Amino acid sequence: MMKPFKIRDIEINPPLILSPMAGVTDISFRRLLKRRGGIGLTVSEFISVEGLTRNNPKSKRQMRFFEEERPFAVQIFGGQPERMRMAAEMAEEVGADILDINCGCPAPKVVKHGGGSGLLRDYERLETILKEIKKSIKIPLTIKIRAGYYDHTINAVETARLAEGCGVEHIALHGRTKEQGYKGLANWDLVRRIKETVSVPVSGSGDVVSVEGAFEKWRETGCDGILIGRGAMANPWIFRQIEDALAARPIFQPNHEDRRAVLLEYFEMLREDMPEMAAIGKMKQLAGQFTKRLQGGALFRTTIYHSHSVTEILDRISEYFEAITTGRPYYGENGPKEAEEEAPVLDSCEAATVAS
Ligand SMILES: Cc1cc2nc3c(=O)[nH]c(=O)nc-3n(C[C@H](O)[C@H](O)[C@H](O)COP(=O)(O)O)c2cc1C
């Protein structure tokens, strides 16, 4: 049965993790979601060790977090052991509770330098990196891996064993290969097999979008924790809902007002944290996600996408919620003729890396 677990002495309670997503899980998004409840661990976006160790301001900003997020893990990526070690020390210095290594990102730019999922096919490098870091930090070292590099070289169980041997204290698996990218489904049977193989806690990632889905994965794999990424973009209350189910409470059901409030709160946080145009850009990326399964959600996404100022965004949000709350049909900003068109949604760390 699902219960809190520990990464060394850090309690992950409830055993639910907001999955790291480059370009999405920044300090504002994490705080927004943490406030909805049910999150036992937050993780930064993956942060470049090349950037960190060269004092790149963007990378340094990505290490910031709020006290209310704790426990908080910094995730770093790179392929060069010395820089990985230096970056790990920097994360410890800024007060992160956990240091996580990205062994899953499929972006060519990351893999080319031996980092991300590249580490899954270079055990010598992976081992050197883990041992180097382990020697120099006191906070727990964790790892997030994929099923394997190619579809025909699935080695998650071996990678997990190697990591445990190097002193890694938690293993998270996203059960897709690097070759697979985000296609198909995640293989959760590998989570079960890793759990059977190692004695450190094991968590699974991939395709959990509902309370039932989370419970099913727990039952099937016996994993300790569950990570939710894209499912939390569409439903920021998913962690809280799973927590409700765990406590045998009625499951919280957000209404239109809750959704509107989340959008506005998010926009306000973004505007406090970054220049206006950047905040508008982020809003375009996420506003549609928050309204994904609602009536007129796709059209709302389009109208937000075509907005160019703070006022426009705020007006569009008011109009949309005004319409769906009163049950009127929603036609977007131009009236009934506008076609439903899909605005682009970023859907991989590759897209996020290219964009940044
Ligand atoms: C936009 C996006 C960015 C991502 N960035 C990262 C990242 O920086 N680090 C990481 O370990 N995984 C990253 N992932 C993978 C997710 O953490 C997660 O493992 C994967 O999306 C499957 O889980 P989900 O179906 O719950 O989203 C990213 C995924 C998406 C969609």
Side-chain angles (χ1 to χ4, degrees):
M1 190 40 203
M2 272 178 66
K3 53 179 195 311
F5 72 96
K6 280 187 172 178
I7 299 178
R8 197 186 305 168
D9 53 357
I10 300 167
E11 177 155 83
I12 311 302
N13 181 16
L16 299 168
I17 302 169
L18 173 57
S19 212
M21 289 181 286
V24 178
T25 54
D26 67 356
I27 190 169
S28 303
F29 185 85
R30 295 194 310 263
R31 175 151 72 154
L32 185 78
L33 263 81
K34 183 81 182 186
R35 284 184 177 172
R36 311 272 89 70
I39 296 182
L41 176 67
T42 59
V43 188
S44 73
E45 304 169 76
F46 74 158
I47 310 178
S48 159
V49 303
E50 298 295 326
L52 277 179
T53 56
R54 292 186 163 87
N55 272 320
N56 177 322
K58 183 195 155 196
S59 307
K60 292 217 137 172
R61 277 172 63 81
Q62 287 179 319
M63 275 213 299
R64 296 170 307 146
F65 62 96
F66 289 109
E67 282 299 314
E68 66 189 87
E69 282 186 54
R70 287 189 192 276
F72 168 70
V74 162
Q75 187 189 69
I76 56 173
F77 74 93
Q80 214 272 324
E82 175 65 7
R83 291 201 183 271
M84 291 291 272
R85 180 188 59 75
M86 285 162 69
E89 285 170 357
M90 290 165 85
E92 180 168 72
E93 216 169 279
V94 299
D97 298 297
I98 291 170
L99 190 274
D100 188 57
I101 307 292
N102 179 302
C103 300
C105 181
K109 175 168 137 184
V110 172
V111 174
K112 196 171 70 195
H113 297 110
S117 59
L119 291 169
L120 302 176
R121 58 169 182 179
D122 189 348
Y123 277 180
E124 208 177 302
R125 185 192 292 266
L126 177 60
E127 195 168 347
T128 309
I129 287 173
L130 295 178
K131 286 185 172 161
E132 272 296 306
I133 294 179
K134 190 67 194 172
K135 271 195 302 210
S136 58
I137 58 169
K138 290 182 210 67
I139 55 173
L141 169 62
T142 64
I143 192 170
K144 181 161 175 286
I145 65 177
R146 276 186 180 242
Y149 193 84
Y150 297 111
D151 291 348
H152 65 274
T153 57
I154 291 187
N155 59 357
V157 178
E158 291 76 9
T159 310
R161 203 182 285 129
L162 179 149
E164 183 181 41
C166 296
V168 165
E169 291 176 80
H170 173 250
I171 292 155
L173 171 73
H174 172 204
R176 288 184 175 87
T177 62
K178 133 63 167 109
E179 183 177 358
Q180 212 181 334
Y182 288 87
K183 292 195 289 282
L185 287 177
N187 177 348
W188 280 79
D189 195 51
L190 287 171
V191 177
R192 181 186 63 76
R193 287 177 47 206
I194 293 175
K195 179 65 191 163
E196 280 173 9
T197 306
V198 300
S199 49
V200 295
V202 175
S203 298
S205 159
D207 313 324
V208 173
V209 293
S210 67
V211 175
E212 302 74 38
F215 278 85
E216 195 182 288
K217 301 304 186 209
W218 255 299
R219 261 197 318 274
E220 286 173 5
T221 68
C223 65
D224 296 285
I226 287 201
L227 289 84
I228 304 178
R230 290 167 298 177
M233 281 199 255
N235 174 12
W237 294 274
I238 189 165
F239 300 99
R240 150 95 193 261
Q241 291 172 332
I242 298 171
E243 190 184 32
D244 285 341
L246 272 174
R249 286 191 296 259
I251 294 173
F252 176 77
Q253 297 298 343
N255 57 30
H256 291 328
E257 185 43 42
D258 295 319
R259 286 179 206 276
R260 191 172 74 108
V262 153
L263 272 175
L264 294 176
E265 189 180 337
Y266 182 54
F267 198 28
E268 205 174 298
M269 283 179 184
L270 291 174
R271 287 166 60 201
E272 264 169 31
D273 189 53
M274 55 183 71
E276 203 150 276
M277 284 323 284
I280 290 172
K282 285 256 173 193
M283 199 62 185
K284 288 182 181 180
Q285 192 186 330
L286 267 173
Q289 294 285 322
F290 285 164
T291 50
K292 222 168 176 181
R293 282 181 287 269
L294 294 185
Q295 181 245 325
L299 184 51
F300 172 66
R301 177 152 76 233
T302 309
T303 58
I304 290 288
Y305 202 76
H306 293 144
S307 302
H308 303 290
S309 68
V310 170
T311 328
E312 261 186 272
I313 297 229
L314 292 174
D315 286 350
R316 298 293 94 85
I317 293 176
S318 305
E319 285 159 17
Y320 175 69
F321 282 95
E322 169 75 20
I324 62 169
T325 309
T326 55
R328 274 194 285 114
Y330 175 67
Y331 298 119
E333 62 199 306
N334 298 332
K337 278 202 204 69
E338 185 161 329
E340 288 244 340
E341 146 199 348
E342 288 284 321
V345 183
L346 277 184
D347 72 344
S348 74
C349 87
E350 185 168 352
T353 321
V354 173
S356 56

